[in-house]
Amino acid sequence: MCGIVGYIGKRDAYPIILNGLKRLEYRGYDSAGIALYDGSEIQLCKTKGKVADLEAKVSKEMPTKGNLGIGHTRWATHGIPNDVNSHPHFSNSGNLVIIHNGIIENYTSIKKELINRGYIFYSDTDTEVLVNLIEDVKKNENVKLGKAVQIALNQVVGAYAIAVYDKNKPDEIVVAKLGSPLAIGIGDDEFFIASDASPFIEFTNNAIYLEDEEMAIIRLGREINIRKIKDDSLVAPYIQELQLNLEQIEKGGYDHFMLKEIYEQPSVIQDTFRGRLLADKGIIRLGGLEDYIEKFVNADRIIIVACGTSWHAGLVAEYIFEDWARIPVEVEYASEFRYRNPVITEKDVVIAISQSGETADTLAAVKLAKEKGAFVYGICNVVGSTISRATHSGTYTHAGPEIGVASTKAFTTQITVLTMIALKLAKVKGTISQSDYMLHLRELDLIPSKVSTALDKNDSIIEIAKIFKDATNFLYLGRGYNFPVALEGALKLKEISYIHAEGYPAAEMKHGPIALIDEQMPIVVIAVNSNHYDKVVSNIQEIKSRKGKIIAVVTEGDTIVRELADYIMEVPYTPETLSPLVTTIPLQLLSYHIALMLKRNVDQPRNLAKAVTVE
Ligand code: F6R
């Protein structure tokens, strides 16, 4: 994880780097630091805490003059979050300074070697080892910085996006990437470096995304020199035009990114099917799918790999794919799949779901599936992300930047894409009747307005949050299509409020969790219209007779559950197959309000980071 930023050009580097770090803080926020070249020396300031703490420290301790600098916001891997372990890190001579996102796995053996050669280490980090290795190579081989970086990186095992400069060569920054993202913004004789394009979006629309195992020497007044780290071969720069705009990465009047993103769902779901779903004409057109439809239709199985919330979207897909397209589906945690020696054949289609498109485990699962000959399809949000490029084909979700660490709009747009794929396949395979197909297309088209209606119930959800904010445990129950929604509701609550919550299939309650129920226990039950409605009602009765407190998500107009439940959260009617797109909304709002009332950092919950680029 971690966010990295760099600048070299004519402007003051400090405000660019500081603002960039604020935009990248979602990637890690336990410490931050900056290293500016002031014309003769490197000025360095770093601290445990947030970018705001860094800003305060810089204002007291560090001159901010200079047109070259690098900055870092950290999610600790090696060494606890403290001032010393924060990045940037100097080499022993004080000439080189580095920032790093990733992990150097063989740093212990390299460190030992360097200690034998007289190097001293001040931090517990793998990054300080890397910068000293680069220095050692530079000195011993008598090479320039770029070459030294290349030789050093050929000795390390692990993942990295790095930026390093030498105070004796202050017209140049060297960057490299393997496994962690790195974008270079190209201005008019100025360059920006960042983990994603958000830090430089107001300065340039042109960016190069480095590929894995590539490095670049960025020098003022010169073309960017991109090379393969392994064999030094030259790579022609591919400059992309960015689709991002400033408004998308700001809070737009909301108190938190998470709330903004929850409220964006009607419009981003619409964006996700814009030009792809033509409900009146009965057409679904997904660019990435059209050429590969036979792969899906003839597949023995679909295997979905993902982590966290994206894995929950995969679970919803299992229901819709099997129901409509009659293709067997397995949903795997990417982290388990990649280490399990799974049986995969060329007749399997693997779908990788990832908002960030950078999750290390999902990426490794993609690589494994490709090695074994499967066709791999990506569903990512971040355009140009590593997973979107590593897959054979795919569909973007078009949710726009998701900055709140807790995933919200990514989840509903992933389900939207998966629903379109399932309907398309069912239509091609003839496993859905024409009337059902048309009905679901029209219903899907109505989802944005139904999500808006669900959001309109916010005030009543605030009242429920007030009542339960001090609970220490929650259970979330759902059946069928809404079982994954129960898992997602519990995940949302625990990650941003730190209240323990478990999601279960409602019928599993009797096999254990029922023992937890007492008068204090809030149980959120998703009890909308469905084939299992009566069974869910029976589950609610069982909870009631044990005096649990029932908060039920119900369909507007429901009378039976309304009578039984202590509190209700209403959503508009949708067919059961599409219901996760609306039932998930009150659960997101409930988590948000409880976390807010508990004064949690909603957008940056403790210990988490947005893009999990380490395994
Ligand atoms: C939870 C959350 C995480 C992510 C998971 C996968 O709110 O955000 O569980 O869903 O880390 O991330 P992506 O989708 O970027 O691969």
Side-chain angles (χ1 to χ4, degrees), residues 5-11 13 16-17 67-69 173 190-192:
V5 188
Y7 176 77
I8 181 166
K10 289 162 278 185
R11 300 174 207 253
I16 296 171
I17 295 171
N67 313 111
L68 161 65
I173 301 182
E190 60 178 349
F191 299 98
F192 307 81

Side-chain angles (χ1 to χ4, degrees), residues 91-339:
S91 62
N92 273 190
S93 70
N95 289 337
L96 305 187
V97 67
I98 195 169
I99 46 175
H100 169 214
N101 166 26
I103 290 184
I104 305 301
E105 287 169 13
N106 59 339
Y107 82 107
T108 324
S109 55
I110 299 172
K111 189 173 182 175
K112 259 192 210 143
E113 186 68 27
L114 290 171
I115 288 172
N116 288 342
R117 285 194 228 157
Y119 284 83
I120 298 168
F121 290 92
Y122 302 93
S123 76
D124 306 317
T125 65
D126 49 345
T127 306
E128 197 188 8
V129 175
L130 180 59
V131 71
N132 281 305
L133 177 63
I134 296 169
E135 175 151 292
D136 193 59
V137 171
K138 191 169 177 295
K139 215 164 50 191
N140 291 335
E141 311 260 336
N142 195 18
V143 288
K144 292 186 178 158
L145 178 62
K147 192 73 196 163
V149 168
Q150 187 189 21
I151 296 171
L153 290 179
N154 274 312
Q155 295 177 27
V156 306
V157 177
Y160 49 79
I162 58 163
V164 53
Y165 71 89
D166 180 346
K167 78 166 184 193
N168 298 314
K169 193 108 189 31
D171 62 344
E172 174 183 289
I173 301 182
V174 177
V175 298
K177 164 186 160 46
L178 174 61
S180 303
L182 199 146
I184 305 168
I186 321 277
D188 192 8
D189 206 17
E190 60 178 349
F191 299 98
F192 307 81
I193 295 151
S195 300
D196 69 34
S198 62
F200 54 79
I201 193 64
E202 64 266 54
F203 302 109
T204 178
N205 270 333
N206 296 322
I208 295 172
Y209 288 90
L210 279 197
E211 297 286 344
D212 275 350
E213 302 186 338
E214 285 179 1
M215 60 178 287
I217 299 166
I218 302 169
R219 194 175 300 156
L220 283 179
R222 295 272 188 93
E223 290 258 299
I224 291 187
N225 181 330
I226 305 178
R227 292 182 176 271
K228 290 267 177 219
I229 295 167
K230 270 212 179 98
D231 60 12
D232 202 35
S233 55
L234 263 179
V235 177
Y238 170 57
I239 301 178
Q240 292 191 30
E241 197 174 327
L242 298 169
Q243 305 297 329
L244 204 65
N245 63 50
L246 200 55
E247 207 175 275
Q248 286 176 307
I249 56 169
E250 288 180 341
K251 282 190 198 146
Y254 287 91
D255 289 341
H256 296 97
F257 282 111
M258 181 182 178
L259 191 62
K260 175 185 174 228
E261 287 156 10
I262 290 173
Y263 273 88
E264 277 174 348
Q265 287 174 109
S267 66
V268 295
I269 293 172
Q270 190 79 56
D271 289 345
T272 298
F273 50 60
R274 177 159 300 123
R276 295 166 164 175
L277 172 73
L278 308 171
D280 290 346
K281 298 195 174 121
I283 292 174
I284 291 174
R285 208 167 29 209
L286 291 165
L289 188 64
E290 304 295 327
D291 289 345
Y292 299 98
I293 199 102
E294 291 304 313
K295 294 254 181 216
F296 280 87
V297 168
N298 298 322
D300 282 347
R301 293 183 293 182
I302 292 175
I303 302 168
I304 298 178
V305 291
C307 303
T309 291
S310 298
W311 183 76
H312 295 156
L315 288 180
V316 174
E318 181 175 21
Y319 286 83
I320 40 185
F321 276 90
E322 293 200 342
D323 202 356
W324 288 335
R326 308 304 298 147
I327 305 173
V329 177
E330 289 167 26
V331 187
E332 301 260 9
Y333 283 116
S335 53
E336 290 297 316
F337 177 84
R338 63 179 288 196
Y339 286 119

Side-chain angles (χ1 to χ4, degrees), residues 284 320 322-326 419 422-441 577:
I284 291 174
I320 40 185
E322 293 200 342
D323 202 356
W324 288 335
R326 308 304 298 147
T419 304
L423 278 169
K424 173 98 190 174
L425 293 180
K427 173 83 173 133
V428 173
K429 285 188 73 185
T431 46
I432 192 169
S433 68
Q434 179 65 11
S435 58
D436 240 16
Y437 175 75
M438 287 306 292
L439 172 96
H440 280 93
L441 255 57
T577 37

